[in-house]
Amino acid sequence: DSRNEVFLREMSEKDEKIKSLVDMGFSEDEANMAITRCGVDVDLWELVDSLGAPRITEDSHSRNISDHQVTDQCFDLFGGGKKARLMEESKKKRNRYGGRAQGNQPSLDGSHDEPMPLPNPMVGFNLPGYLQPSVTRILPKQDTGPPFFYYENVAQAPKGVWATISRFLYDIQPEFVDSKHLCATARKRGYIHNLPIENRSPLLPVPPKTIFEAFPHYKKWWPSWDLRTQLNCLRTNIASAKLTERIGRALASSDSPPARSVQKYVMNECRKGNLVWIGKNKVAPLEPEEMEYLLGFPKDHTRGLGITERYKSLGNTFQVDTVAYHLSVLKVMFPNGVNVLSLFTGIGGGEVALHRLGIHMKAVVSVEIGKANKRIFRGWWDQTQTGTLIEIDDVKSLTDDRIVSFVSRFGGFDLVIGGSPCNNLAGCNRYNRDGLEGEQSALFYHYFRILNAVKSAMARM
């Protein structure tokens, strides 16, 4: 019927775009990843932009071919009308970003052309139970703590972003980790820190690593053709009721099992939206309580917010088990507790990690602008902590003089932790993916400024 026709038409559009991306030099996995992030309805150039320059571009630059020739070389793979439309999109992007086709502007230190390769598998320097060669890291004396610092952001940022972040944070190598190695959901993040990497320990009990281990009640309705064992990255928004209803109607009117083409489209939507099976031919998004569990927060941590605010807050926070594994080295180093400067606190992922590790927080200076996030964090703090909490609304208002006064009051900070907004870095943002020069993600430079001010003030103690 007409509903199945819509499914098949959208699926056909997706297959056509995957084929086009593969022809341009991307792998099928990369093409699927781009469509999952950006949606099947976006223009092909937006998908290319979300993945970065294609391999054909890299090969051509190695032969000293101009950007113009590279663009023509890529677009010759398409028919005339499509080529003209994509060329127009390319021209618009070049005008907008100073002559560059990529969506991110040049970084402040001119490093935008230097890639930061992501490891595969994304397991950082080490993970519990994961066999890999040992990593030895020796930091220059001036970069060791205290203060220890810990910075987080999305791993799959625009080209050059992590190279720039690394250069500003004392040329320390990022540690890229996908939380699927620690729990049942993926969360690909990069971390730059000066913490020791030896003698780490995971939180106990170790969280489940598969969907059915985490949520066994879903197994009853899970179709045999849905082969997922883990969930994708948890986002700030969820699939609409209109989509889940349409999926249910299409499956109800299909054979059992459904045609392979329908299965393929449904699985794409399930992966993209982390939809789970709650009945026969019935899918639904995860509940906020389930997201809290997957991210390592206590039950009802975000309860009290509106449903939209809960999803947004959870989509922007740390995966607690991953962060706790990195911070676990502090427990032996600071048996009497820590003083923490928490930048972009959100709903308190870093503080929850320290609490679950049994590390007492003597004082936390929390900088968070979101009123809903502040309310959640303050509520958790009042119920679980006995230390001093000082709240500041905006990193821009945390001046060097205020930092000096806090350093004097608390005798310094043991840990500076935070992850600046990823709004202009995340691949799912296809309109304002402007890198570190985007309005929100440029706040990273305040993290660097504040960290430097802390280090300077403590050096004068």
Side-chain angles (χ1 to χ4, degrees), residues 236-307:
T236 57
N237 52 18
I238 60 169
S240 67
K242 182 178 178 181
L243 172 63
T244 57
E245 182 182 356
R246 191 172 57 163
I247 289 174
R249 286 200 304 261
L251 290 174
S253 61
S254 298
D255 296 332
S256 181
R260 191 164 184 81
S261 56
V262 175
Q263 289 183 29
K264 187 174 181 181
Y265 182 84
V266 171
M267 284 311 307
N268 178 61
E269 296 298 337
C270 287
R271 290 191 183 97
K272 183 167 62 175
N274 280 319
L275 302 178
V276 291
W277 299 90
I278 62 172
K280 183 179 180 181
N281 297 331
K282 187 177 182 181
V283 293
L286 293 166
E287 295 290 340
E289 293 81 4
E290 293 170 323
M291 289 180 64
E292 289 170 348
Y293 176 60
L294 290 167
L295 291 169
F297 286 90
K299 188 176 185 297
D300 294 330
H301 184 76
T302 58
R303 192 168 182 176
L305 297 183
I307 190 75

Side-chain angles (χ1 to χ4, degrees), residues 203 350-361 380 384-385:
L203 286 174
E351 289 74 17
V352 171
L354 290 169
H355 175 66
R356 290 189 59 194
L357 285 165
I359 299 175
H360 174 57
M361 286 166 276
W380 173 83
T384 62
Q385 305 302 307

Side-chain angles (χ1 to χ4, degrees), residues 150-154 162 189-191 316-318 341-346 350 367-368 395 416-423 425 440-441 443-444 447:
Y150 188 83
Y151 176 81
E152 179 259 15
N153 218 312
V154 293
W162 276 106
R189 295 292 185 267
Y191 306 87
N316 283 323
T317 193
F318 290 152
L341 175 54
S342 176
L343 306 177
F344 315 102
T345 302
V367 188
E368 170 57 43
V395 290
V416 179
I417 186 171
S420 55
C422 66
N423 304 53
L425 306 183
Q440 298 298 319
S441 293
L443 293 172
F444 157 74
Y447 180 97

